[in-house]
C-alpha cells in the first residue's frame, strides 16, 4: 500500500507530529529519512529492504554506500542522506562517551561505547583510544581488522599513532565475535607486550577491554594490568617481610 493511500493518522510524518517521533517504528523512521518510494514499491516497503540488509539496528551503522544503492529505487541522494544520519548517530555516541569519561574515568563508559562501535562486528577489530595527560579522549582509531577469530596488535604501529596524536595514555580494546568476553592466553600475551612497550616510551596503557554485543571485560577492573600485578606482588613481599621481622623463625637451637 502506498503511503498516500493510508489513513492520515497512520502515515509516518503525520504520526510523528501527532504522537511524537518516539512513537514511530524502525521502518517508519527509515521511511521518513528516505522521504519517498518508487512507482513499484512504497517508501515503507523500501524501508523494510534497508532493515533487511543487516541483522540488527547496530549493524546498520556499517552500511556502505554501494550496499544501499544496490536496492532498486535508492539512488545517490537517498543513500547519502541515510548514511549521513547514521554517521551523526556515531558521532553523538562518541561525544557523549568523551564527556562522560572525562568526568568519571570509569571503564564501563568506554566499554558501552565500544560495544556499540565494534561489539556487533563479525570480524575481530582492535581499537586504540588515545588520551591526554588529564585522561581526556583525543581520538580513537581502528588499528587492525583480523579474521573471524584473530586480530593482530603490533606495538610499533600502536605507539607510532600514540606519538602522532601526542597521547600520553591509551586504552586498547578488541571484540570477540564469538560473544565470549573472557581473555585468551594470546590476549594476555598481547596485553603484556603492549604495556611493556608503553613503559619504555613513557606512554601508559591504562586498560585492555574486550567487548561483545552486550558485555565487556576490563583488565583493570579485574586487577590484571601489569602495573597492578607488580604492585600486588610488592605488597605481598612487604607483608611477608614485616611478618618475618615480627615473628622471626629460629632455624638453630
Amino acid at each position: 500500500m502506498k503511503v498516500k493511500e493510508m489513513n492520515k493518522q497512520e502515515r509516518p510524518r503525520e504520526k510523528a507530529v501527532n504522537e511524537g517521533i518516539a512513537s514511530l517504528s524502525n521502518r517508519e523512521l527509515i521511511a521518513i529519512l528516505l522521504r519517498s518510494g518508487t512507482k513499484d514499491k512504497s517508501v515503507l516497503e523500501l524501508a523494510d529492504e534497508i532493515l533487511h540488509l543487516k541483522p540488527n539496528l547496530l549493524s546498520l551503522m556499517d552500511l556502505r554506500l554501494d550496499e544501499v544503492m544496490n536496492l532498486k529505487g535508492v539512488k545517490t541522494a537517498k543513500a547519502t542522506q541515510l548514511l549521513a544520519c547514521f554517521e551523526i548517530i556515531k558521532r553523538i555516541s562518541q561525544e557523549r562517551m568523551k564527556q562522560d569519561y572525562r568526568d568519571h574515568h570509569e571503564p564501563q563508559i568506554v566499554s558501552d561505547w565500544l560495544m556499540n562501535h565494534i561489539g556487533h562486528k563479525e570480524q575481530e577489530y582492535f581499537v586504540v583510544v588515545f588520551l591526554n595527560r588529564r585522561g581526556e579522549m583525543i581520538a580513537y582509531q581502528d588499528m587492525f581488522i583480523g579474521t573471524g577469530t584473530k586480530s593482530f596488535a603490533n606495538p610499533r604501529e600502536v605507539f607510532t599513532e600514540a606519538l602522532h596524536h601526542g597521547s600520553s595514555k591509551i586504552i586498547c580494546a578488541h571484540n570477540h565475535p564469538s560473544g565470549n568476553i573472557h581473555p585468551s592466553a594470546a590476549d594476555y600475551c598481547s596485553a603484556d607486550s603492549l604495556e611493556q612497550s608503553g613503559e619504555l616510551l613513557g606512554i601508559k596503557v591504562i586498560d585492555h577491554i574486550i567487548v561483545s554485543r552486550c558485555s565487556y571485560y576490563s583488565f583493570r577492573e579485574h586487577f590484571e594490568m601489569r602495573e597492578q600485578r607488580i604492585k600486588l606482588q610488592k605488597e605481598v613481599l612487604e607483608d611477608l617481610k614485616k611478618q618475618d621481622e615480627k615473628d622471626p623463625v629460629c632455624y638453630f637451637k
Side-chain angles (χ1 to χ4, degrees), residues 119-165:
H120 61 283
K121 301 282 191 182
E122 295 179 0
Q123 290 176 286
E124 193 164 306
Y125 277 64
F126 185 87
V127 180
V128 180
V129 179
F130 304 101
L131 310 169
N132 61 20
R133 292 188 181 279
R134 294 186 298 275
E136 298 167 341
M137 179 177 168
I138 301 170
Y140 80 90
Q141 188 166 337
D142 298 341
M143 295 291 298
F144 307 100
I145 302 175
T147 63
T149 58
K150 189 175 183 181
S151 68
F152 298 90
N154 187 316
R156 181 176 60 186
E157 294 182 39
V158 168
F159 290 103
T160 296
E161 286 300 315
L163 291 169
H164 171 74
H165 288 290

Side-chain angles (χ1 to χ4, degrees), residues 16-106:
V17 171
N18 295 327
E19 301 179 32
I21 198 75
S23 69
L24 300 185
S25 65
N26 294 334
R27 73 193 294 252
E28 289 170 333
L29 289 168
I30 298 293
I32 285 181
L33 291 172
L34 293 172
R35 299 182 64 182
S36 63
T38 69
K39 65 178 182 179
D40 298 320
K41 66 185 77 169
S42 73
V43 69
L44 287 169
E45 291 172 326
L46 200 53
D48 286 334
E49 291 188 15
I50 296 288
L51 290 169
H52 289 150
L53 287 174
K54 295 291 181 179
N56 53 65
L57 283 178
L58 273 179
S59 299
L60 287 179
M61 301 297 105
D62 298 326
L63 276 175
R64 302 188 312 273
L65 190 65
D66 63 297
E67 288 181 288
V68 183
M69 291 184 65
N70 278 338
L71 296 177
K72 187 177 179 181
V74 180
K75 297 191 183 298
T76 305
K78 277 186 172 64
T80 53
Q81 186 170 304
L82 192 65
L83 296 190
C85 178
F86 292 157
E87 183 60 30
I88 288 173
I89 294 170
K90 289 181 186 178
R91 296 185 188 189
I92 289 172
S93 175
Q94 180 187 332
E95 285 301 312
R96 180 175 294 167
M97 181 273 289
K98 286 171 66 174
Q99 291 181 18
D100 291 346
Y101 190 74
R102 180 185 61 202
D103 296 335
H104 302 290
H105 293 93
E106 294 291 335

